[in-house]
Amino acid sequence: MGLDTQKTFNQLIIMLLVGVMILIGQRVGYGIPVMNAIPGMLIIVAICMASLIIRDLLPNVKFPAFAWASLIGLILCMPFMPTAETVLRFTKEVNFLGTTTPILAIAGISVGTRIDEFKKLSWRIVIISFVVFAGTFFGSAIIAHIILKIQGII
Amino acid sequence: MPEQKTEAELIKFEGRIPIFVRLLLTVLVIVIITELIGTKTINVGIANIVLLPMLYAVVIGVLITPDVLGKSITALQNIINSEEIALAGPLVTLALLPLGVKYGLLVGPAIGKVVQAGPAFILQEFGNLGTILIGLPVALMLGLRREAIGATVSICREPTLGIIAERYGINSPEGTGVLATYLVGTVLGTIFYALLGSIATLTKLHPYALAMACGMGSASMMTASAGALAATVPEMADTILAYAATSNMLTGIDGVYAEVFLALPFVNWLYKKIGPKEGGKK
């Protein structure tokens, strides 16, 4: 499957609009001047677009754009990369928590037609969540305990 | 309802500009309101509950939809209705990408520490599959179906939201599940982990092993559980906090990949084994 240029263009417009929203949000919430954060935001949008394009070009690699985005970000700012200093200097003006607020607002709206399903989950999801939270904790602790024992650290 | 459009169709602008304008302006208003409220910390004795703007944002987002407040305030239905809600689905996937980039940017500079971190740190990551091993059977027992996949694939922090939203769509049953666990974690996660951390040594597992377990990919949950654990064994406090932070950083780095290549295939495999057979297909 090739690239749907129309779709990619639409994605770019939407990413830029999301970027504007993040810039306004973090101006309000964290007092970061919009102008200071524009270069960093553009870098981030560029990485987002790269990850969307890579995903569309490699449909057989079952790797989501979200993972591509974080992988590209990671590679660009590893200590020995020539890009690290520049990328980090600009993107640090884009607040981590600031990127989360629009996501959750949209996510909230997107489940609007599924309220009944959440109601059906109700108390059961609280129990399931607690089991899930305990599961990761003790799963990791038991393995760590065994390995540390083998290594003779404990 | 005009539900069955593909992602490419939903994000087309022709003739759909008003839908985009209504949705994006609504989101912008929510963002401004929630950022104005800002982060609030409530102390409940054993732990601090931290309320972030994103939490209010998701609550307001749900509230303004036609089935909730829109029911009684009909003016809201003129702004947010089924078309806007349908568009919100693919927009979540796109809006998540900057967060994905930020994750990468946070951990890239620290990549050296991961290489130094010993085998225990790396292997205990497999313990995160415990969410599925214990969680999925419980979820199925309580009558969940495909929602169980999203709800138990991990502790459902933001990266999981991104992965599930992209693979299944946020308005799929799997999306409902991941969002549900996400919400419970956001509201009750730190309290739960603070409690768990304070009683964890009763299991006779070594505090260092428990410390590594505290790093599960959420800074606030890690802080709560490691802080509580350290308070019960103060003579080991420094090492506990260091182990927890390293493990948390590791999960931040490899969590996304572990989920895509391990947890998601594993939860689907286990669902096939012990889940309901096709009968009640949705």
Side-chain angles (χ1 to χ4, degrees):
Chain A
M1 210 179 95
L3 205 57
D4 180 346
T5 44
Q6 181 65 52
K7 181 175 130 191
T8 305
F9 176 75
N10 291 350
Q11 285 170 335
L12 173 64
I13 303 290
I14 293 170
M15 285 314 308
L16 288 171
L17 291 172
V18 169
V20 170
M21 224 178 288
I22 294 172
L23 292 179
I24 296 174
Q26 65 172 14
R27 171 74 192 83
V28 177
Y30 308 93
I32 302 169
V34 171
M35 293 311 283
N36 294 13
I38 285 179
M41 198 67 233
L42 287 175
I43 294 176
I44 289 176
V45 169
I47 298 175
C48 295
M49 288 314 295
S51 63
L52 285 166
I53 291 168
I54 293 173
R55 184 197 54 182
D56 283 354
L57 289 178
L58 303 172
N60 294 326
V61 184
K62 290 226 176 292
F63 208 50
F66 185 87
W68 281 118
S70 91
L71 185 63
I72 297 172
L74 191 156
I75 292 172
L76 286 181
C77 67
M78 289 192 295
F80 47 84
M81 291 294 285
T83 45
E85 197 267 332
T86 319
V87 169
L88 286 173
R89 181 157 47 90
F90 287 119
T91 54
K92 78 172 185 342
E93 300 291 332
V94 179
N95 183 280
F96 183 76
L97 284 174
T99 63
T100 60
T101 317
I103 303 169
L104 270 295
I106 305 175
I109 294 172
S110 78
V111 298
T113 49
R114 311 175 68 81
I115 301 299
D116 288 340
E117 285 160 53
F118 278 110
K119 277 194 194 140
K120 254 184 6 216
L121 291 176
S122 66
W123 58 271
R124 294 181 298 172
I125 195 62
V126 178
I127 295 179
I128 293 166
S129 301
F130 285 171
V131 172
V132 162
F133 296 160
T136 186
F137 187 82
F138 290 113
S140 297
I142 291 167
I143 295 178
H145 187 87
I146 295 168
I147 307 288
L148 289 171
K149 259 261 148 47
I150 294 172
Q151 288 183 298
I153 295 173
I154 55 174
Chain B
M1 263 194 299
E3 276 278 2
Q4 296 311 329
K5 284 191 178 131
T6 65
E7 189 197 326
E9 280 166 354
L10 281 168
I11 64 166
K12 274 212 175 83
F13 295 115
E14 293 89 60
R16 297 173 51 81
I17 302 262
I19 303 172
F20 275 88
V21 172
R22 282 195 292 266
L23 178 62
L24 290 174
L25 279 183
T26 308
V27 174
L28 182 61
V29 170
I30 296 177
V31 167
I32 292 174
I33 293 173
T34 55
E35 293 290 2
L36 277 175
I37 303 172
T39 305
K40 299 262 180 280
T41 310
I42 303 170
N43 189 294
V44 287
I46 48 163
N48 285 326
I49 312 179
V50 180
L51 301 175
L52 293 171
M54 60 173 151
L55 178 64
Y56 329 135
V58 73
V59 172
I60 297 176
V62 172
L63 283 181
I64 59 169
T65 55
D67 283 351
V68 191
L69 283 184
K71 241 181 209 161
S72 35
I73 310 171
T74 41
L76 275 176
Q77 289 188 24
N78 298 329
I79 304 169
I80 295 297
N81 218 315
S82 54
E83 290 266 25
E84 288 77 18
I85 292 174
L87 174 61
L91 280 200
V92 173
T93 317
L94 293 175
L96 272 159
L97 293 177
L99 178 68
V101 177
K102 279 301 280 186
Y103 264 105
L105 295 174
L106 281 180
V107 295
I111 197 82
K113 282 187 199 153
V114 182
V115 182
Q116 290 167 2
F121 278 111
I122 296 176
L123 288 172
Q124 60 89 24
E125 292 284 302
F126 287 96
N128 294 339
L129 295 176
T131 60
I132 301 168
L133 224 46
I134 314 175
L136 189 67
V138 172
L140 292 171
M141 239 168 3
L142 290 173
L144 272 73
R145 289 172 169 265
R146 295 294 295 180
E147 296 89 359
I149 300 259
T152 65
V153 65
S154 78
I155 57 163
C156 301
R157 302 327 299 156
E158 290 80 3
T160 317
L161 227 49
I163 292 163
I164 297 289
E166 216 171 316
R167 184 66 58 84
Y168 301 103
I170 198 72
N171 35 27
S172 63
E174 292 86 348
T176 307
V178 74
L179 208 57
T181 302
Y182 175 84
L183 287 177
V184 175
T186 307
V187 183
L188 302 173
T190 49
I191 309 175
F192 179 83
Y193 273 120
L195 277 171
L196 197 63
S198 56
I199 58 167
T201 48
L202 298 176
T203 59
K204 302 286 176 216
L205 290 164
H206 194 277
Y208 288 173
L210 293 167
M212 289 187 181
C214 290
M216 69 288 282
S218 153
S220 59
M221 295 181 187
M222 182 271 286
T223 313
S225 53
L229 175 66
T232 62
V233 264
E235 68 279 10
M236 299 180 183
D238 286 348
T239 314
I240 287 174
L241 294 178
Y243 273 22
T246 309
S247 164
N248 198 59
M249 188 189 69
L250 253 181
T251 308
I253 295 168
D254 64 27
V256 175
Y257 315 107
E259 246 160 62
V260 173
F261 293 115
L262 276 177
L264 208 46
F266 179 59
V267 73
N268 273 293
W269 176 83
L270 194 61
Y271 186 88
K272 264 202 203 107
K273 288 269 166 202
I274 63 170
K277 300 290 170 246
E278 279 309 285
K281 198 165 167 268
K282 274 170 77 163

